[in-house]
Amino acid sequence: MLAAAVVAAAIGWVALACTAPRAPAQLHGPGLPWPVVAVVLVAAGRLQVTLRVRGAPLTVVSDAIAVLVGVLFVDPVHLPLALGCGWATGQLLARRSAYSAAFNVAISLLGAAAATATVHALLVRGTPVGARGAVAVLAGVVVFDMVTGGMVLLHLRACGAPSAQAARTMAAHSALGVPVAAVLSLCAALLVWVDRYDGLIAVALGGLVGVAVRHNGSLRSRVDTLEHLHALAARLDGVATEADVVDAVLAEVRSTFGAEVAELAVGDGATVVRTVATVAGASATRLGGGWRPLEARARRSGPVLAARNRSKHAADLAAAGWRDALLVPLEAEATHGDIGAGAALGDGAVLSVASRIGGATFSRADLSLLEALAVQAGVAIRRSRLQEQVAEETAARQRDARTDPVTGLGNRVVLGERLQAALAPRGDGDGAGTGAGGVGGAGVVLVDLDRFREVNDTLGHDVGDEVLRQVAARVEAAAARVGGTACRVGADEFAIVVAGDGGDRLAAVTGRTATALVGAVGEGLAVAGLALDVGASVGWAAASAGAHATGVLRQADVAMHAAKARGGGACAYDGSVDRHSTRNLQLAGELRKALKGGDLELWYQPKAVLATGAVTGVEGLLRWRHPAFGQVAPEEFITVAERSGLIHQVTWWVIDAALAQLRRWADDGLDLGMAVNISARDLHDLALPAALAERLATSGVGAGRLTLEVTESCVMADPVRSQRVLRDLAALGVRLSIDDFGTGYSSLGRLQTLPIDEVKIDRSFVRDLPAA
């Protein structure tokens, strides 16, 4: 391209020297000396005034003014010498590379030759005065701009850079800048035409005005920096998501610099994601390869200014398809306490603005402005990320507050919401699933697993959690069949809310669901290679709309405990069950008084040898004669004691009564032993052996006369702690007995590790022996 430009310029000027007149304009003596034009051209090249038209930069290049003055007042033989010297000197002062300087001088000379030929062709009489002169000057400026611009486009195309967008940009610039340059050129020509020296003085004064305008523009640029920062802050106000922040930043940056492209590149080196905003409008995200050379340099060394017509970055600019560019690494500089200082966005981020519209290229002032905007953008992006993170964490906490983490079912909060919604009063015919009257209502099925604690404590929490998940799946399936909602409301408790009308149909559906759940849970579970039998006690209740949700849930809970007291299965709520529950509440309040009064009694069941009938000992049985309820069954008040926390006091009451009776029998000459029961909580109390030793010493009863009975399930609930307590009790000399053996998950081999004196087989193994 350089050679072609040089050859074309040389041909053009030789042709002009041979055909054009020696002095086209000599109204007042000879034309201007060519060194004067060269000096004016050098000064013009150093003076570029940038104006803003509707926010876009418009640079008035004064080269065209000097060229037109030379065309009118210097003959074609000396004019190329003046222009060549002037442009070459300007390129050296601008520190252009040899190739870039030569190319710029060559295309400028070619454009000047075309402009000279145009002006000479239109100014037949050699005068710039009048309409013909104005047209000639305008045409000369247009031709100069078109030729130089066309050569630049050809050069870009030869380098492989896209030229369509560049052509549109240059055309838009020419539409604004060429008329201004033409008017200034015509004014300068007329001044020199009237009096060449006064004209030069006027041109010099115009240059001073240009310097003042440029200085004012520098001051204005500082004010613009603050305005741009304010504009970016205003544009980011109220923008929440990171994507919207990036779009707003790129749009503002591109508009601020009057550029064709603004980009934000983020990546880890292997893959770079670029968000690109162009003059077309909305930004787009592109997944590209690695970092571009200019981006890599910005990440490595800091901000990069790649100005136009600088050979240093020419190849990198051409590879990116840019004419010029500014690049800064983007970091979230801390301006608030909740943002880490200098926290980089990922492993790297670069903000770029490229291909400035107009004749001017980017400057150091522009780079400083972009750095300031980048700091503000980084803070905004970081803040948006924190806001999104807080929003995600809030949503997760809201989900966790409503969801059981083990099974994924809703929790008590969801149960309460569904139940209240189903029981809300409705108008006639209102609501799906209601009856003809539209009264609404809800049924509640409450499921409590049997023997779950034994599984959980014996096989571990991982197995227990898997049991809960499998049961939850069956409960959820049962709820789905009736359009209900399944929830987990306790450690081993589940619930189903069935919405419908409050009539018999809802009660029937709720009852069938409860019965089906008993069968579904009782089918057995396969966990960790084991076949586990975990039954269920299910209670249910139904009510019409307007009923209190807490009341319906309590009714289902009462029914569930009634089912558990019966040994499992399904149980519907009824009045008698409720009265029984009320009685339990009353018993819990009066049991403490009974421990201090005389309502508790210890009955003695003899233990005899079948062959001889000789009595070898007794078993102490606790009984409670209530003043209002009469004789209360042990199963009833022992359960009350365990739930109310009085079980330890009950146990020590029994032991103290047993030791006192043994002491009296010994004083009467009766050599008998006594067995009493202790609960799981007592067996897991490490202080039990020491406390029992004190009572034995105080009573004077030999430890061998006392037998403590514990159930197999109590031992297996916490084998390690139970074994320790049993060994300490055996060390005292107390006899130990395992009751109800065969109902848990232990084995005879396991008993070998325990200091057990006797084993009592569960009644289920021996009750049918007489009929065998």
Side-chain angles (χ1 to χ4, degrees):
M1 287 300 298
L2 175 60
V6 171
V7 171
I11 293 174
W13 282 110
V14 170
L16 284 172
C18 295
T19 60
R22 298 286 297 177
Q26 300 182 27
L27 184 59
H28 297 291
L32 292 175
W34 70 265
V36 174
V37 176
V39 173
V40 172
L41 189 60
V42 172
R46 302 294 294 174
L47 179 62
Q48 293 184 354
V49 180
T50 300
L51 306 176
R52 286 197 172 271
V53 179
R54 294 185 178 179
L58 171 62
T59 301
V60 180
V61 183
S62 51
D63 287 16
I65 302 173
V67 169
L68 264 296
V69 171
V71 169
L72 293 171
F73 298 101
V74 179
D75 62 84
V77 175
H78 295 95
L79 182 56
L81 181 61
L83 297 178
C85 291
W87 275 318
T89 303
Q91 294 294 307
L92 291 176
L93 293 177
R95 297 182 180 179
R96 299 279 196 265
S97 65
Y99 178 86
S100 179
F103 180 76
N104 289 336
V105 171
I107 63 174
S108 298
L109 284 173
L110 179 58
T116 302
T118 302
V119 172
H120 286 184
L122 294 176
L123 287 181
V124 179
R125 294 177 296 175
T127 173
V129 180
R132 192 180 187 88
V135 172
V137 171
L138 176 60
V141 174
V142 171
V143 170
F144 178 79
D145 185 79
M146 291 180 60
V147 171
T148 54
M151 292 300 295
V152 170
L153 291 177
L154 290 176
H155 182 265
L156 290 175
R157 190 175 187 85
C159 294
S163 57
Q165 183 63 44
R168 289 192 293 269
T169 301
M170 294 178 68
H173 168 69
S174 297
L176 296 174
V178 168
V180 176
V183 171
L184 295 177
S185 300
L186 183 59
C187 292
L190 292 175
L191 288 173
V192 176
W193 183 269
V194 173
D195 189 298
R196 57 180 176 174
Y197 296 109
D198 291 342
L200 291 177
I201 293 174
V203 171
L205 291 175
L208 292 176
V209 173
V211 172
V213 171
R214 185 173 183 178
H215 179 67
N216 179 71
S218 177
L219 295 177
R220 177 62 186 172
S221 66
R222 299 180 185 178
V223 177
D224 288 346
T225 298
L226 298 178
E227 291 180 351
H228 292 316
L229 291 174
H230 176 73
L232 180 58
R235 192 160 192 166
L236 294 176
D237 185 28
V239 179
T241 66
E242 180 180 349
D244 291 340
V245 169
V246 171
D247 290 344
V249 167
L250 293 180
E252 185 64 29
V253 167
R254 193 203 62 76
S255 175
T256 296
F257 292 96
E260 297 177 7
V261 179
E263 291 188 5
L264 177 63
V266 181
D268 57 3
T271 302
V272 178
V273 179
R274 292 183 176 86
T275 305
V276 183
T278 64
V279 292
S283 60
T285 301
R286 303 170 185 171
L287 184 62
W291 294 99
R292 295 166 176 160
L294 289 175
E295 294 169 338
R297 180 173 179 179
R299 294 179 64 214
R300 182 177 62 254
S301 305
V304 174
L305 168 60
R308 197 174 305 176
N309 299 325
R310 296 285 182 90
S311 61
K312 182 178 181 181
H313 302 295
D316 295 336
L317 287 172
W322 297 338
R323 294 190 301 278
D324 48 10
L326 298 174
L327 303 96
V328 296
L330 188 64
E331 295 184 349
E333 294 292 344
T335 57
H336 294 78
D338 58 348
I339 301 177
L345 299 175
D347 292 335
V350 177
L351 179 63
S352 308
V353 58
S355 298
R356 191 169 200 172
I357 300 172
T361 187
F362 295 114
S363 64
R364 288 287 175 187
D366 295 325
L367 187 62
S368 299
L369 173 58
L370 184 60
E371 289 184 82
L373 294 174
V375 170
Q376 191 169 3
V379 171
I381 293 174
R382 178 63 173 169
R383 184 181 295 111
S384 68
R385 288 186 175 182
L386 291 176
Q387 290 175 346
E388 291 180 357
Q389 181 179 357
V390 170
E392 291 176 358
E393 291 178 354
T394 301
R397 290 177 181 177
Q398 291 177 347
R399 289 193 301 270
D400 293 342
R402 298 169 54 82
T403 305
D404 172 55
V406 176
T407 64
L409 299 180
N411 56 14
R412 283 189 175 272
V413 175
V414 177
L415 174 66
E417 292 177 353
R418 298 292 190 273
L419 191 54
Q420 288 180 358
L423 291 174
R426 303 174 185 176
D428 293 341
D430 184 21
T434 62
V439 295
V444 178
V445 179
L446 202 59
V447 183
D448 184 85
L449 301 183
D450 300 330
R451 300 182 296 279
F452 173 73
R453 182 176 179 181
E454 299 175 13
V455 174
N456 200 37
D457 294 343
T458 303
L459 302 178
H461 291 285
D462 292 341
V463 174
D465 289 347
E466 180 59 26
V467 168
L468 291 175
R469 282 189 284 269
Q470 291 190 23
V471 172
R474 299 179 184 184
V475 174
E476 191 170 23
R481 283 192 290 270
V482 294
T485 301
C487 301
R488 183 188 176 197
V489 295
D492 58 351
E493 291 185 7
F494 298 85
I496 293 178
V497 177
V498 182
D501 61 45
D504 295 338
R505 181 175 178 275
L506 176 61
V509 171
T510 307
R512 287 197 300 270
T513 302
T515 303
L517 274 175
V518 173
V521 177
E523 289 179 356
L525 305 171
V527 182
L530 300 175
L532 302 180
D533 180 17
V534 179
S537 298
V538 181
W540 62 273
S544 301
H548 199 282
T550 304
V552 179
L553 190 60
R554 185 188 67 82
Q555 292 175 358
D557 185 68
V558 169
M560 183 268 292
H561 282 95
K564 183 171 286 291
R566 298 177 183 176
C571 181
Y573 170 80
D574 58 36
S576 61
V577 174
D578 200 8
R579 287 192 298 272
H580 184 70
S581 177
T582 304
R583 167 174 162 161
N584 285 344
L585 293 176
Q586 184 176 354
L587 290 176
E590 296 179 353
L591 180 58
R592 191 181 303 273
K593 298 179 182 179
L595 289 169
K596 297 179 181 180
D599 295 336
L600 294 181
E601 300 174 349
L602 194 62
W603 293 11
Y604 308 104
Q605 177 176 293
K607 300 167 66 176
V609 179
L610 291 177
T612 63
V615 176
T616 59
V618 298
E619 182 174 355
L621 304 177
L622 182 62
R623 296 292 183 265
W624 183 10
R625 191 183 303 277
H626 193 276
F629 300 139
Q631 196 72 32
V632 181
E635 295 82 0
E636 185 177 357
F637 68 78
I638 290 298
T639 301
V640 171
E642 289 178 341
R643 292 181 178 176
S644 62
L646 295 175
I647 189 63
H648 287 302
Q649 298 181 39
V650 171
T651 298
W652 286 117
W653 189 96
V654 171
I655 291 177
D656 290 340
L659 292 177
Q661 185 62 54
L662 287 173
R663 177 72 269 172
R664 288 192 292 271
W665 284 340
D667 293 342
D668 294 340
L670 293 177
D671 185 14
L672 295 175
M674 185 183 301
V676 295
N677 291 280
I678 62 175
S679 69
R681 295 186 182 182
D682 299 316
L683 181 61
H684 300 157
D685 184 4
L686 297 178
L688 174 65
L692 182 60
E694 293 181 1
R695 281 175 162 77
L696 288 171
T698 301
S699 65
V701 176
R705 294 183 179 274
L706 181 65
T707 300
L708 298 181
E709 292 187 359
V710 295
T711 62
E712 179 190 7
S713 60
C714 293
V715 177
M716 301 312 299
D718 191 346
V720 176
R721 185 183 292 264
S722 299
Q723 188 171 1
R724 178 179 173 181
V725 173
L726 289 174
R727 287 179 177 175
D728 291 343
L729 291 173
L732 294 177
V734 175
R735 292 175 57 82
L736 301 173
S737 173
I738 296 294
D739 195 7
D740 298 334
F741 182 79
T743 60
Y745 292 95
S746 61
S747 63
L748 291 173
R750 183 67 177 268
L751 294 179
Q752 295 179 355
T753 63
L754 300 176
I756 301 301
D757 296 292
E758 66 181 29
V759 175
K760 298 173 68 175
I761 304 299
D762 185 69
R763 71 179 69 182
S764 61
F765 293 96
V766 297
R767 62 187 173 190
D768 296 330
L769 286 179

